[in-house]
Amino acid sequence: MYKFFVNEEQIEGKKVCIIGEDVNHIKNVLRLETKENICICNKNTSKSYTCRIIEVNNSEIKCEILEEINKTTETNSYIHLFQGLPKSDKLEFIIEKCTEIGVKEITPVNMKRSIVKLEEKDKIKKIDRWRKIAEVAAKQSKRDTILNVNSIINFQNIFEKVRDYDILLVAY
């Protein structure tokens, strides 16, 4: 069953309204029609629902919730990866694979010897792209949550973030 993520405000009672890029994907790529079932996951609460499509049009897909799915696909471990900025588009691959194996959060780190140097406007575009990749990978691997891609930080800022962690592993 295909899985899609929606915001809390798109769920009203027993009805769900899918908007945005997923509409085109459902309608024109997957060619799903009314009375077909899909899985909807609330981005805010990570609750998943089995839903039936009741209306398909160009701007939205309307569904009705059939049941809440009580089992989860998430691991019990909370893994936060601090990843130095690699060259090229390698971070996209890292985000995709981390999403698939259950990592909950990734923070790109600008290291002293990082070759990649991003301007502020480029950072915003990259982070948006990385978040989109994480969402697509979460759909594909049927996760209940989307990997959280944080803003790029400097190496010195890592120590503030890891202060409360139980275990810290450093690959060097």
Side-chain angles (χ1 to χ4, degrees):
M1 191 176 338
Y2 297 105
K3 186 172 227 174
F4 298 94
F5 290 91
V6 297
N7 294 317
E8 185 129 24
E9 58 269 8
Q10 291 173 261
I11 301 173
E12 293 181 20
K14 289 282 192 185
K15 303 288 183 202
V16 179
C17 183
I18 301 172
I19 55 175
E21 295 175 5
D22 285 336
V23 173
N24 180 57
H25 189 71
I26 291 170
K27 183 179 175 210
N28 299 321
V29 178
L30 299 175
R31 297 180 188 213
L32 297 178
E33 298 176 355
T34 56
K35 297 185 181 174
E36 291 193 66
N37 291 349
I38 58 174
C39 183
I40 302 286
C41 189
N42 184 333
K43 284 183 185 179
N44 306 88
T45 64
S46 300
K47 288 185 179 179
S48 293
Y49 306 95
T50 301
C51 299
R52 177 174 291 130
I53 299 173
I54 55 175
E55 184 181 331
V56 177
N57 61 49
N58 291 332
S59 60
E60 62 187 13
I61 308 287
K62 292 185 180 178
C63 304
E64 70 174 325
I65 296 174
L66 300 176
E67 66 177 335
E68 183 176 335
I69 301 170
N70 292 321
K71 63 182 179 179
T72 182
T73 60
E74 296 300 312
T75 64
N76 293 333
S77 301
Y78 189 92
I79 301 171
H80 184 169
L81 174 68
F82 291 90
Q83 173 65 49
L85 288 174
K87 291 191 280 184
S88 179
D89 59 350
K90 291 177 185 157
L91 190 57
E92 295 176 6
F93 181 75
I94 292 167
I95 289 170
E96 181 182 323
K97 296 306 166 195
C98 284
T99 300
E100 291 171 2
I101 64 169
V103 173
K104 306 273 191 209
E105 190 172 355
I106 188 168
T107 302
V109 181
N110 192 10
M111 302 286 198
K112 177 179 167 184
R113 296 187 183 220
S114 290
I115 294 172
V116 177
K117 303 294 182 207
L118 297 172
E119 299 293 325
E120 204 59 42
K121 63 179 176 131
D122 294 333
K123 286 182 183 179
I124 295 167
K125 287 181 187 175
K126 285 280 191 184
I127 291 167
D128 287 342
R129 175 158 173 72
W130 294 334
R131 287 179 178 154
K132 186 70 177 162
I133 288 166
E135 182 175 341
V136 170
K139 288 178 191 176
Q140 184 176 354
S141 58
K142 298 189 184 334
R143 284 194 56 183
D144 293 334
T145 59
I146 300 170
L147 172 112
N148 184 23
V149 180
N150 296 320
S151 297
I152 299 169
I153 64 170
N154 289 324
F155 181 74
Q156 293 80 12
N157 301 49
I158 290 176
F159 302 107
E160 297 167 13
K161 297 210 178 247
V162 299
R163 190 169 289 145
D164 298 329
Y165 288 174
D166 295 333
I167 299 172
L168 180 64
L169 303 174
V170 179
Y172 178 76

